[in-house]
């Protein structure tokens, strides 16, 4: 069964750290571009970060640049997002998805991503 499963969410204090995981089953995640998205309460889903399948280039939204880091572990068929110094405004449900497109992942529209996971909730609060 082809699926993506996110984990690692929870409650974190501002300035702390958290690592989210996106584990794939039924296919090889390394051959796909992977994107992390988030949706805060009452807001539309937004792209947070992505990693390109062809050359490994990454993209971060301005709101997380310098604080979040995306990485792959091909041996574990997973992609991670390290969240450092989270802020209350980072509170959201985080989801990952895959895309077959190989152009710069910052240009890949949301509709080109598939097999969305169920999401993992991150709450940043003291």
């Amino acid at each position: 069964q082809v699926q993506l499963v996110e984990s690692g969410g929870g409650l974190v204090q501002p300035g702390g750290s958290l690592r989210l995981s996106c584990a794939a089953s039924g296919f090889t995640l390394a051959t796909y571009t992977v994107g992390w998205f988030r949706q805060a309460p009452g807001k539309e889903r937004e792209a947070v970060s992505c990693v390109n399948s062809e050359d490994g280039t990454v993209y971060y939204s301005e709101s997380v640049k310098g604080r979040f880091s995306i990485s792959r572990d091909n041996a574990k068929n997973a992609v991670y997002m390290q969240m450092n110094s989270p802020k209350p405004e980072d509170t959201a449900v985080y989801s990952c998805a895959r895309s077959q497109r190989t152009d710069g992942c910052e240009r890949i529209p949301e509709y080109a991503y598939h097999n969305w996971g169920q999401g993992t909730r991150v709450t940043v609060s003291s």
Side-chain angles (χ1 to χ4, degrees), residues 3 15 18-19 25 45 49 51 57-58 62 67-68 71 80 82 89 98-99 101 103-104 113-114 124:
Q3 64 176 354
L18 201 64
R19 191 178 78 157
S25 59
R45 186 162 58 193
S49 180
V51 55
T57 55
V58 300
E62 285 300 319
R67 300 186 297 118
F68 291 11
S71 62
Y80 304 102
Q82 179 69 37
E89 52 264 42
R98 66 170 182 168
S99 176
R101 288 177 55 162
D103 47 334
Y113 283 93
H114 307 285
V124 184

Side-chain angles (χ1 to χ4, degrees), residues 91-102:
T91 294
V93 175
Y94 286 73
S95 302
C96 62
R98 66 170 182 168
S99 176
Q100 291 182 311
R101 288 177 55 162
T102 58

Side-chain angles (χ1 to χ4, degrees), residues 32-37 47 49-53 55-60 70 72 99 101-110 113:
Y32 290 86
T33 290
V34 178
W36 277 103
F37 299 79
S49 180
C50 57
V51 55
N52 185 277
S53 61
D55 57 11
T57 55
V58 300
Y59 158 83
Y60 300 99
I70 191 170
R72 289 186 185 269
S99 176
R101 288 177 55 162
T102 58
D103 47 334
C105 63
E106 72 276 12
R107 296 192 295 270
I108 299 175
E110 214 174 284
Y113 283 93

Side-chain angles (χ1 to χ4, degrees), residues 12-28:
V12 60
Q13 292 187 341
S17 63
L18 201 64
R19 191 178 78 157
L20 305 184
S21 300
C22 172
S25 59
F27 68 100
T28 302

Side-chain angles (χ1 to χ4, degrees), residues 106-123:
E106 72 276 12
R107 296 192 295 270
I108 299 175
E110 214 174 284
Y111 64 77
Y113 283 93
H114 307 285
N115 300 105
W116 294 81
Q118 83 291 345
T120 186
R121 185 176 301 276
V122 174
T123 301

